[in-house]
Amino acid sequence: MSDSSYTPPEVWTWDSASGGKFASINRPVAGATHDKELPVGNHPFQLYSLATPNGVKVTVMFEELLAAGHDAEYDAWLIDIGEGEQFGSGFVEVNPNSKIPAMVDHTGNTPLRVFESGSILMHLAEKFGAFLPTSGPGRTETLNWLMWQMGSAPFLGGGFGHFYAYAPEKLQYPIDRFAMEAKRQLDVLDRQLAERPYIAGNDYSIADMAIWPWYGQLCLGRLYDAATFLDVESYTYVMHWANKIDARPAVQRGRMVNRKFGAPHMQLHERHSPEDFDTQTQDKIGETA
């Protein structure tokens, strides 16, 4: 089908055969498709996720909190969105929108659900008083950039990434449209990082943790195999920042959690203790199985 051959019907209906790579898990209605309770581990924080960019935000936050000495131990359970596990009844109770990541905080008298990655980052930052100023211009600037990420990344992921990497056909108009927007966003970041070491100022914050899994990993060649296409090397300050964040040990650990793709030594399907990074990655399980 070419760009010019489609005429929208008077009333749209869903045709799963036209859904491309994700047709089996996409649908135009919400709610659970099957009954499945979520597992609950021993730690106060229960995370249900997958190591997509949105999932990596939260596991990086947890690992950074732990590295900074906070009592932020957590259990991370893998939700395989390719298999539709986000539509299980237990997950839908935690996140009615059926998107990862989702978390339950058991530190209070009543379990508290927290969904949307930005909300989880804010919740943890405020609970531990870390990676987000408590007041003043620094707090506002950090939240400015957190919200920038939440509003901008859909154009990168659902827009550029979908049409460039996942759509059933390569169509020039949507690829050009969203490539233009992705490059504009990279230029926004490049101009910001030309004047400061981190996204929101002099300090590493939840703004960096939110933006790096999308734009940092894009520039490091880990998203959509599009680094050359988007000429990411031309964004000098973004590249420097992307490599600086990538070198942080907590970020390296966070990338591994709930990961079900890539090199086996980088895949830690579930995380229940710090020792799991040494004993439970897929290469280690394979060696001892």
Side-chain angles (χ1 to χ4, degrees):
M1 183 190 303
S2 68
D3 283 295
S4 60
S5 65
Y6 175 67
T7 301
E10 182 176 358
V11 177
W12 182 86
T13 58
W14 172 236
D15 177 8
S16 62
S18 66
K21 180 176 181 179
F22 302 108
S24 64
I25 60 170
N26 288 336
R27 59 197 181 106
V29 295
T33 60
H34 59 282
D35 291 328
K36 185 177 181 180
E37 293 185 5
L38 290 175
V40 179
N42 297 323
H43 298 303
F45 301 101
Q46 300 294 305
L47 178 66
Y48 305 96
S49 192
L50 184 71
T52 66
N54 286 333
V56 167
K57 297 177 196 176
V58 177
T59 49
V60 164
M61 177 62 163
F62 271 118
E63 295 300 325
E64 291 283 11
L65 287 168
L66 291 167
H70 296 282
D71 185 14
E73 269 299 338
Y74 69 107
D75 292 286
W77 306 91
L78 190 148
I79 300 296
D80 190 338
I81 62 175
E83 297 297 324
E85 292 181 358
Q86 70 275 32
F87 299 118
S89 57
F91 190 86
V92 173
E93 287 178 7
V94 178
N95 184 358
N97 197 38
S98 294
K99 302 290 185 182
I100 61 92
M103 184 183 80
V104 180
D105 179 347
H106 293 269
T107 59
N109 294 328
T110 303
L112 177 66
R113 74 179 187 184
V114 192
F115 61 88
E116 290 295 333
S117 56
S119 180
I120 297 173
L121 291 178
M122 286 186 64
H123 178 80
L124 293 173
E126 291 175 339
K127 179 173 284 287
F128 291 101
F131 304 114
L132 173 65
T134 57
S135 63
R139 177 182 176 85
T140 300
E141 184 70 357
T142 302
L143 295 181
N144 286 342
W145 286 100
L146 176 64
M147 298 306 160
W148 178 88
Q149 186 279 318
M150 300 296 288
S152 297
F155 291 96
L156 176 60
F160 173 75
H162 178 79
F163 286 104
Y164 181 77
Y166 301 131
E169 296 181 67
K170 303 293 186 189
L171 302 176
Q172 183 176 354
Y173 175 78
I175 291 175
D176 283 351
R177 170 66 181 84
F178 290 113
M180 176 189 68
E181 177 62 12
K183 289 182 69 65
R184 189 193 67 82
Q185 292 173 1
L186 287 169
D187 192 46
V188 169
L189 293 175
D190 207 53
R191 292 167 185 261
Q192 178 73 1
L193 289 164
E195 300 179 355
R196 51 194 56 78
Y198 296 103
I199 292 293
N202 291 324
D203 298 320
Y204 179 58
S205 73
I206 58 172
D208 299 282
M209 296 180 205
I211 294 170
W212 181 85
W214 283 102
Y215 299 88
Q217 293 202 106
L218 175 72
C219 289
L220 295 173
R222 297 174 187 158
L223 281 185
Y224 315 128
D225 195 22
T228 299
F229 181 76
L230 294 174
D231 188 24
V232 298
E233 293 287 345
S234 65
Y235 303 99
T236 305
Y237 298 104
V238 178
M239 289 298 302
H240 176 74
W241 167 84
N243 281 287
K244 177 170 61 177
I245 303 299
D246 192 49
R248 296 179 68 91
V251 172
Q252 295 171 12
R253 291 192 298 274
R255 284 187 60 225
M256 296 169 64
V257 179
N258 298 146
R259 188 178 178 90
K260 200 182 175 184
F261 49 88
H265 74 280
M266 286 294 294
Q267 295 186 37
L268 181 61
H269 288 188
E270 294 183 5
R271 188 262 188 224
H272 304 291
S273 76
E275 291 75 23
D276 290 346
F277 291 101
D278 297 321
T279 63
Q280 297 299 311
T281 54
Q282 287 303 105
D283 61 321
K284 301 291 177 52
I285 293 174
E287 290 172 5
T288 58

